[in-house]
């Protein structure tokens, strides 16, 4: 067995149908009295319901969260928190809303209670991202890790099936790369494999019956595990490519992860055979890369970058950006092979045997 270092991240997780009802108690537990409730404009109704649930403990609602946390939005949210004298933030939504909470916490140290409604996993990580002048800067800071996370599957019953599937594959990507992380450890490996299994097993039912509570709970449980892996160990080529494609070409986050993952796994397969075995086992297939591709296809997700807005002439630039900085990856970064990977992802080809 290889040597490892394991440091647990402090987080309180409350999981189960109806647990949103415990929000006021959780805020009190943090010693807070005035919560600023954050959401996207689309989830304003949910944010208002949360504010109603909190009564006097709600300082107000800020509903302007958008993808990739533009600095202007972060400033407005920080100002609102200060003006309303909030002493904590409740982020109800996906990675964009939780990311906005992190931007507030980064500056003020305000504790965050995250109530995730997608499978992106941001709630379990100390990673933040803020976009300024078209450039997304990411970093790690213990202050942005949500102090409490309430996973209530009932809040995901209405997550549209298309977003559910791509968000689930986004979560699987965290676990898959965690399994070959340079700084991985056996605890994260267990979580990663179980996270992939739980999510993959839930998708068929979610597609057939989006409001199936048990399948939604399984998916959210898997998302928690996969998000924990993302928060604890370093990611590699796949996340670098998705960050490049999202940031430089404005491609949608979860769809990009869904499309690129099979190809990133095929690229790394020969250099990380044990990780591939565990991914394949969790998916119940013989081959990790093909298994992920087939899972996406079977559930109606996009499989080609050209179908989500990338242009053929962007591929060389994307390849250059992805190779600009060195970072750990099981297989060395080879320009020609990565360019071929991007071409395959662009065309939506099934990874070869
Ligand atoms: P998102 O938060 O942008 O949500 C997508 C859309 O779905 C939004 O309109 C949202 O309001 C809506 N939505 C969310 N939950 C819903 C529900 N239950 N019912 C109906 N509509 C719902 O998407 P995302 O994929 O969760 O997050 C993506 C962002 O999060 C990206 O900016 C990404 O970089 C970031 N992210 C960060 C981390 C991290 O560790 N820092 C991890 C994962 C993702």
């Amino acid at each position: 067995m290889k040597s490892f270092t394991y440091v647990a991240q402090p987080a309180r997780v409350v999981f189960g149908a109806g647990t949103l009802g415990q929000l006021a108690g959780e805020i009190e537990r943090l010693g807070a009295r005035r919560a600023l409730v954050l959401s996207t404009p689309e989830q304003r109704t949910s944010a208002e319901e949360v504010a109603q649930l909190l009564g006097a403990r709600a300082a107000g609602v800020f509903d302007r969260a958008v993808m990739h946390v533009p600095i202007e939005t972060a400033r407005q949210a920080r100002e609102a928190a200060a003006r309303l004298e909030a002493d904590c933030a409740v982020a109800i939504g996906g990675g964009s809303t939780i990311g906005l909470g992190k931007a507030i916490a980064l500056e003020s140290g305000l504790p965050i209670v995250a109530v995730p409604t997608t499978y992106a996993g941001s709630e379990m990580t100390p990673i933040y991202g803020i976009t300024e002048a078209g450039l997304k800067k990411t970093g790690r800071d213990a202050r942005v890790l949500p102090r409490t996370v309430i996973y209530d599957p009932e809040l995901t019953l209405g997550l549209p099936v298309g977003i559910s599937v791509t968000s689930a594959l986004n979560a699987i990507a965290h676990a898959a790369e965690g399994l070959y992380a340079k700084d991985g450890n056996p605890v994260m490996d267990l979580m990663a494999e179980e996270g992939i299994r739980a999510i993959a097993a839930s998708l068929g039912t979610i597609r057939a019956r989006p409001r199936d509570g048990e399948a939604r709970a399984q998916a959210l449980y898997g998302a928690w595990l996969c998000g924990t892996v993302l928060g604890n160990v370093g990611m590699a080529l796949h996340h670098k490519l998705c960050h490049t494609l999202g940031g430089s070409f404005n491609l949608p986050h979860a769809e990009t992860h869904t499309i690129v993952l099979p190809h990133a796994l095929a690229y790394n397969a020969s250099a990380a055979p044990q990780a591939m075995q565990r991914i394949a086992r969790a998916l119940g297939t013989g081959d990790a890369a093909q298994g992920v591709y087939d899972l996406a296809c079977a559930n109606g997700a996009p499989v080609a970058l050209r179908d989500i807005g990338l242009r053929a002439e962007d591929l060389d630039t994307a390849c250059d950006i992805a190779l600009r900085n060195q970072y750990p990856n099981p297989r060395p970064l080879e320009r020609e092979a990565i360019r071929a990977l991007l071409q395959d992802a662009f065309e939506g080809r099934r990874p070869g045997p």
Side-chain angles (χ1 to χ4, degrees):
M1 183 182 263
K2 70 171 188 171
S3 308
F4 61 87
T5 304
Y6 173 69
V7 182
Q9 309 260 22
R12 177 175 163 86
V13 170
V14 178
F15 190 102
T19 47
L20 182 65
Q22 298 176 31
L23 179 60
E26 290 299 327
I27 288 173
E28 198 173 313
R29 208 173 174 280
L30 290 174
R33 301 164 63 87
R34 289 178 61 77
L36 177 63
V37 184
L38 308 172
S39 74
T40 59
E42 296 82 19
Q43 287 180 286
R44 165 101 201 172
T45 310
S46 302
E48 274 168 0
E49 281 165 14
V50 165
Q52 214 161 29
L53 192 71
L54 293 179
R57 281 200 186 82
V61 170
F62 183 92
D63 71 354
R64 276 171 265 165
V66 287
M67 190 89 82
H68 303 315
V69 194
I71 184 74
E72 300 75 20
T73 314
R75 284 195 188 117
Q76 288 166 10
R78 287 167 179 164
E79 277 160 26
R83 189 178 65 250
L84 296 165
E85 297 176 5
D87 57 6
C88 78
V90 174
I92 177 159
S96 299
T97 306
I98 294 165
L100 181 61
K102 288 177 169 183
I104 300 174
L106 184 64
E107 206 183 65
S108 61
L110 215 65
I112 306 168
V113 178
V115 186
T117 62
T118 70
Y119 309 129
S122 176
E123 66 280 357
M124 294 310 297
T125 85
I127 306 164
Y128 63 87
I130 297 178
T131 305
E132 190 164 9
L135 206 71
K136 186 169 178 180
K137 283 189 205 144
T138 57
R140 278 180 173 264
D141 194 309
R143 277 180 308 175
V144 310
L145 181 72
R147 297 273 287 278
T148 305
V149 182
I150 296 182
Y151 283 109
D152 184 343
E154 285 182 2
L155 303 172
T156 63
L157 299 180
L159 185 66
V161 169
I163 304 181
S164 301
V165 174
T166 54
S167 191
L169 276 139
N170 181 197
I172 288 177
H174 308 328
E177 287 226 296
L179 281 165
Y180 53 62
K182 194 165 182 283
D183 56 353
N185 64 67
V187 176
M188 287 306 128
D189 289 352
L190 288 172
M191 288 191 166
E193 191 172 337
E194 170 67 356
I196 297 173
R197 186 207 60 75
I199 290 193
S202 72
L203 279 184
T205 309
I206 288 177
R207 250 196 114 207
R209 296 188 303 280
R211 302 190 70 81
D212 185 297
E214 188 48 36
R216 288 294 189 177
Q218 280 294 314
L220 202 56
Y221 160 67
W224 165 43
L225 297 178
C226 294
T228 304
V229 174
L230 175 67
N232 277 271
V233 299
M235 297 289 114
L237 176 67
H238 168 77
H239 279 74
K240 177 71 177 179
L241 287 173
C242 292
H243 186 82
T244 300
L245 292 165
S248 305
F249 305 102
N250 205 23
L251 298 192
H253 177 82
E255 286 92 328
T256 306
H257 272 270
T258 302
I259 295 167
V260 172
L261 185 61
H263 306 286
L265 294 181
Y267 182 92
N268 279 329
S270 59
Q274 277 183 339
M276 298 303 150
Q277 256 176 23
R278 295 189 81 150
I279 298 164
R281 187 166 63 195
L283 294 172
T285 60
D287 180 88
Q290 291 178 346
V292 170
Y293 183 91
D294 294 345
L295 186 68
C297 280
N299 288 291
V303 290
L305 290 173
R306 67 175 164 210
D307 293 342
I308 62 163
L310 194 72
R311 301 168 313 164
E313 53 268 41
D314 295 331
L315 289 169
D316 285 331
T317 319
C319 189
D320 290 342
I321 302 172
L323 286 166
R324 207 168 277 163
N325 302 313
Q326 287 299 310
Y327 45 90
N329 190 62
R331 176 176 164 190
L333 304 178
E334 297 158 18
R335 188 173 207 292
E336 214 171 299
I338 290 177
R339 180 63 181 78
L341 176 172
L342 284 167
Q343 191 70 36
D344 287 345
F346 181 74
E347 291 172 14
R349 218 173 274 147
R350 186 174 188 258

